[in-house]
Amino acid sequence: MRRSAISALTTLALLGAGTLAGTPAVAAPLACGGISTGSFSGSAGGSEYLCAKEGDLLDVRIGDVHATQPSLGYDEVYYKLGRYTLGKDEINKKFDDWCEANGQAEAATATPASTLKDPASFTCAIPVGSETAESIAPMKTVVVGPRGALYLTDGHHTLTSFYETADGGPDMHVRLRVLGNLSGLSESAFWAEMEKNKWVWTRDVDGNQVSVQSLPKGVGLANFADDKYRSLLYFARDIGFTPGSIPFQEFYWGAWVRDATPVDLSGWNNNDLASYLSTVKSVSQAQTALAGNTVVDSGFTATDLGVLSAWNDGKAESKGEFAKLSKPYSDEKPGKIAYSLAYKATL
């Protein structure tokens, strides 16, 4: 498997049935009787999810999930779509992404006839029913809201990429992990709890507050504004910070770049590889120059948000994640920005 082992505490939390520390102890509706099978699938109505408990894995039609953020980093989605359509991988990356999102690690086999719409047409490294804490950890998460509606708290970019790819679309299914069940609350109490737990992002691309009522009703590029700062921070992963379990992590870092202006972005051209790389380098170096206890945004410190102790994890510019990111599309293994730019050039 390609991911490092997670801590014993996380293992217990993911495989257990208890409530995670820091999450609300809100009971599911009494009609559930406190019983949960741990596996759910059904139609778009939502009522089939009312009994879902924290940690349960739900089989979901991606066109049925509600968004909890008003924007996306389009360039991240373009990278994924570029990798799916222009990729040089032996097995198309979209199958890896689906298997990971489904709690099954990575793709094991796929043929030219394989399609995301038919999971039986490819195989994943871990069969359904044999998931581990390590394979469940990167799954995308939802909160069950009033009437059983599902609100995505992590995975907007991944599900949008599935939505936009030719063999995906709104009817495609993938499993999502339940972060919490707040279906017993009223609409207003639900959003109050979501905001209290920082399970919703209510700032637009300029940092202005937006109402929860104006959030997109579903995934897909057309539903979201383009946040260039969010894209920038996606490409700084494992160079300036490490992605973790805090929802909207890159948005907090992006707000810091926009509002604290640690670097001058006036010369950034997000359609040019050299300019993009230079900007990622400047931003990630500014990140790693922060003291760990520096408050970045919304009370979260640099340490909370995964800041690395050394730029590029202590490796030279020609090594590590920055070297991988720097590869042009002509390379045997292009970098993420190169894929993003190559895809944008086709639009």
Side-chain angles (χ1 to χ4, degrees):
M1 295 180 66
R2 292 193 288 231
R3 289 182 176 267
S4 60
I6 60 177
S7 69
L9 177 61
T10 305
T11 301
L12 290 172
L14 289 172
L15 294 181
T19 300
L20 292 172
T23 61
V26 178
L30 295 177
C32 295
I35 298 173
S36 171
T37 66
S39 180
F40 295 82
S41 63
S43 64
S47 60
E48 68 275 15
Y49 304 128
L50 286 172
C51 296
K53 289 184 178 178
E54 179 185 326
D56 285 341
L57 310 182
L58 311 183
D59 178 74
V60 173
R61 176 183 176 271
I62 66 173
D64 293 335
V65 298
H66 297 263
T68 55
Q69 63 191 52
S71 59
L72 294 173
Y74 274 30
D75 284 351
E76 177 181 344
V77 177
Y78 291 155
Y79 152 65
K80 292 178 183 293
L81 294 176
R83 191 83 177 261
Y84 299 168
T85 58
L86 305 168
K88 301 182 180 183
D89 307 286
E90 183 176 350
I91 294 179
N92 194 305
K93 186 67 164 58
K94 64 187 176 183
F95 299 118
D96 270 342
D97 287 354
W98 187 92
C99 289
E100 180 181 81
N102 210 53
Q104 298 178 262
E106 60 191 6
T109 63
T111 71
S114 297
T115 171
L116 289 176
K117 289 182 178 177
D118 180 16
S121 66
F122 58 95
T123 64
C124 301
I126 296 177
V128 170
S130 299
E131 299 84 356
T132 66
E134 187 179 17
S135 71
I136 290 171
M139 290 181 71
K140 308 311 177 185
T141 52
V142 289
V143 172
V144 184
R147 297 172 298 283
L150 299 180
Y151 291 83
L152 194 65
T153 55
D154 177 51
H156 294 78
H157 292 78
T158 295
L159 265 63
T160 290
S161 299
F162 292 157
Y163 187 101
E164 297 290 345
T165 199
D167 59 337
D171 291 329
M172 192 189 112
H173 280 243
V174 70
R175 292 188 303 174
L176 302 172
R177 176 163 53 85
V178 177
L179 188 61
N181 188 328
L182 306 180
S183 60
L185 300 179
S186 67
E187 198 80 25
S188 60
F190 165 75
W191 284 115
E193 196 69 24
M194 291 287 283
E195 292 183 346
K196 175 182 139 185
N197 287 282
K198 295 183 169 65
W199 287 344
V200 59
W201 179 260
T202 54
R203 280 180 263 175
D204 67 16
V205 297
D206 297 315
N208 301 311
Q209 287 291 319
V210 299
S211 69
V212 293
Q213 289 76 23
S214 69
L215 292 172
K217 303 305 180 187
V219 297
L221 281 173
N223 291 322
F224 298 93
D226 181 16
D227 189 327
K228 63 181 182 180
Y229 302 101
R230 174 59 177 74
S231 292
L232 189 60
L233 269 299
Y234 171 71
F235 295 123
R237 284 184 174 188
D238 297 315
I239 300 171
F241 75 104
T242 299
S245 60
I246 295 176
F248 314 110
Q249 185 178 5
E250 282 98 340
F251 278 113
Y252 292 119
W253 279 118
W256 171 73
V257 171
R258 182 190 61 235
D259 301 336
T261 60
V263 297
D264 180 8
L265 299 183
S266 61
W268 174 30
N269 178 358
N270 64 358
N271 291 306
D272 176 79
L273 179 60
S275 179
Y276 222 135
L277 285 169
S278 176
T279 305
V280 170
K281 181 179 178 181
S282 297
V283 167
S284 54
Q285 286 179 330
Q287 285 180 292
T288 55
L290 293 173
N293 62 357
T294 303
V295 175
V296 174
D297 192 83
S298 300
F300 289 117
T301 66
T303 296
D304 294 333
L305 296 174
V307 71
L308 291 173
S309 58
W311 182 77
N312 200 29
D313 204 20
K315 300 178 178 67
E317 186 172 325
S318 60
K319 304 290 184 182
E321 290 301 316
F322 191 78
K324 293 178 185 178
L325 187 69
S326 302
K327 301 293 185 183
Y329 182 70
S330 58
D331 194 85
E332 182 182 356
K333 294 183 178 181
K336 291 179 179 179
I337 295 175
Y339 270 125
S340 179
L341 298 182
Y343 183 80
K344 279 200 285 188
T346 69
L347 299 178

